[in-house]
Amino acid sequence: MNYLEIVGTLVGLLYLWFEYKASIWLWPVSVIMPAIYIVVYYQVGLYADSGISVYYLLAGIYGWWAWLRHVPGRQEKLITFTPRKLFMPLFVVLCLVFALIGGILATYTDSTIPWWDSFTTALSIIAMWMLAHKYVEQWLVWLVVDVISCGLYLYKDLYFTSFLYGLYAVIAFGGYLRWKQLMNVTE
């Protein structure tokens, strides 16, 4: 039994709660959780997931800053829809990151699932950036990541983490609805 995985799962549940509530406290937790999972993922050969955890650490700092950035008359950044003009650039970034990471993993590592690992990593990069900007659709991107990741972690015998991501998938849908509701309240 991997006790570090269990601790990471518990911290992940706390993160999920704060994200669902659109609480700024999700950001400090989003620095702790990836620090744990860098090790957990590396131990089972999920190298892109391990690497993305470094990104999550940095994105946690950026997200915290972005949510606190002062807007006259407001304490925090408002939840909004993703501007349509960003769809194509986000798709291009997704494809480039997917191809780059997948190629590296397939060529230079012993990863048994390089392309799936790369896909969830590339989508996670996009979703985390969207979260930092409080775009409501980030929940839909996370939903795809969570469903695929749940299966990958089962495949890698990370049962607690698979459970966590299964729960993330369920909550992602509810989070999307909740954030849309919060948008209407603040308008």
Side-chain angles (χ1 to χ4, degrees):
M1 179 176 295
N2 187 336
Y3 292 105
L4 193 56
E5 179 195 2
I6 295 170
V7 171
T9 301
L10 294 174
V11 173
L13 291 170
L14 184 61
Y15 170 85
L16 182 62
W17 174 254
F18 287 138
E19 184 179 11
Y20 180 78
K21 296 296 237 174
S23 168
I24 198 158
W25 288 103
L26 76 93
W27 294 110
V29 176
S30 78
V31 172
I32 296 166
M33 188 172 83
I36 294 168
Y37 274 103
I38 287 170
V39 176
V40 171
Y41 293 146
Y42 187 81
Q43 289 173 341
V44 297
L46 289 170
Y47 304 119
D49 281 350
S50 185
I52 190 82
S53 294
V54 174
Y55 168 77
Y56 287 152
L57 280 167
L58 299 173
I61 295 166
Y62 172 75
W64 202 348
W65 172 81
W67 279 32
L68 282 177
R69 191 171 51 195
H70 182 68
V71 175
R74 287 300 219 182
Q75 289 287 350
E76 289 185 14
K77 186 173 182 62
L78 294 176
I79 298 168
T80 62
F81 288 109
T82 306
R84 288 181 158 235
K85 67 181 180 180
L86 291 179
F87 288 163
M88 186 54 72
L90 288 173
F91 181 72
V92 169
V93 169
L94 172 68
C95 291
L96 290 173
V97 171
F98 168 68
L100 177 67
I101 294 173
I104 290 169
L105 292 177
T107 305
Y108 299 107
T109 73
D110 62 350
S111 177
T112 57
I113 48 172
W115 295 104
W116 285 108
D117 195 8
S118 175
F119 184 64
T120 57
T121 300
L123 272 179
S124 296
I125 289 169
I126 298 298
M128 194 69 166
W129 183 85
M130 292 173 73
L131 172 60
H133 290 277
K134 266 191 169 173
Y135 295 140
V136 69
E137 297 86 355
Q138 59 94 15
W139 284 106
L140 301 177
V141 178
W142 283 124
L143 180 61
V144 173
V145 170
D146 297 337
V147 167
I148 294 170
S149 294
C150 183
L152 293 178
Y153 299 142
L154 274 175
Y155 176 75
K156 288 293 189 173
D157 297 327
L158 294 174
Y159 301 113
F160 292 103
T161 305
S162 179
F163 166 78
L164 178 65
Y165 277 78
L167 184 59
Y168 278 179
V170 171
I171 299 299
F173 182 72
Y176 175 72
L177 296 176
R178 171 82 171 134
W179 276 35
K180 282 183 70 173
Q181 181 184 41
L182 289 173
M183 284 175 59
N184 293 334
V185 169
T186 57
E187 292 180 336

